[in-house]
Amino acid sequence: MTAHVVRPMVNRDSQFFWDGTRAGELRIQTCNACGAKRFPPGPACQSCAAYDRGFEVAAGTGTVFSYVVHRHPPVPGKELPIVIALIDLYEGVRMVGEVVDVADGDDGPDIEIGTRLRVDFNTVDEELTLPVWRKA
Ligand SMILES: [Zn+2]
């Protein structure tokens, strides 16, 4: 078991997201007034400024918009390098996430712009489950 991981900030705006990962769901915040989707979650809609918000469960598929290979500095609980990507979800929002099992290809990271990904869930402990991405 890893002793330390970087724990995300969970607050009133993001609680639904972390409840979702615990349930094996990738949730996207939606506006109940106009239907706009948004990430990261926030209190008000960026399209119509309404506060009435809900969520939908994403299909869990996306493509790489861009990525970085993180080699330094050390990250608690992580063996470097790791790949962090901006992922365009099928639903039309862009999310940041770690892509696992691609950092150490024969010719560098085994990932490129447009690589298709599928979400997976990494249970850290009973309170925290982190979404991770794998090649589809
Ligand atoms: Zn709205």
Side-chain angles (χ1 to χ4, degrees):
M1 296 297 283
T2 50
H4 301 287
V5 298
V6 178
R7 302 187 78 90
M9 195 179 71
V10 178
N11 60 30
R12 214 164 53 100
D13 293 326
S14 63
Q15 182 69 50
F16 79 97
F17 182 84
W18 300 109
D19 288 346
T21 58
R22 267 203 308 277
E25 294 178 353
L26 188 68
R27 295 178 177 177
I28 302 172
Q29 193 171 55
T30 57
C31 172
N32 286 338
C34 76
K37 300 167 192 170
R38 58 186 189 263
F39 187 89
C45 177
Q46 287 155 5
S47 296
C48 74
Y51 283 85
D52 184 10
R53 57 197 193 267
F55 66 84
E56 68 175 47
V57 178
T61 54
T63 56
V64 175
F65 173 77
S66 70
Y67 68 93
V68 295
V69 180
H70 183 93
R71 301 180 189 281
H72 194 81
V75 179
K78 294 285 185 190
E79 199 171 312
L80 299 182
I82 57 174
V83 172
I84 303 296
L86 279 174
I87 301 146
D88 282 334
L89 269 62
Y90 170 78
E91 287 78 8
V93 298
R94 186 167 289 160
M95 207 173 265
V96 64
E98 180 182 355
V99 186
V100 296
D101 299 336
V102 297
D104 282 322
D106 292 338
D107 302 307
D110 186 20
I111 187 173
E112 55 190 59
I113 307 302
T115 296
R116 291 166 56 86
L117 302 175
R118 168 164 287 283
V119 76
D120 195 6
F121 297 97
N122 176 20
T123 302
V124 175
D125 56 38
E126 55 190 34
E127 286 177 4
L128 179 63
T129 297
L130 294 170
V132 294
W133 294 82
R134 300 178 187 281
K135 287 176 83 169

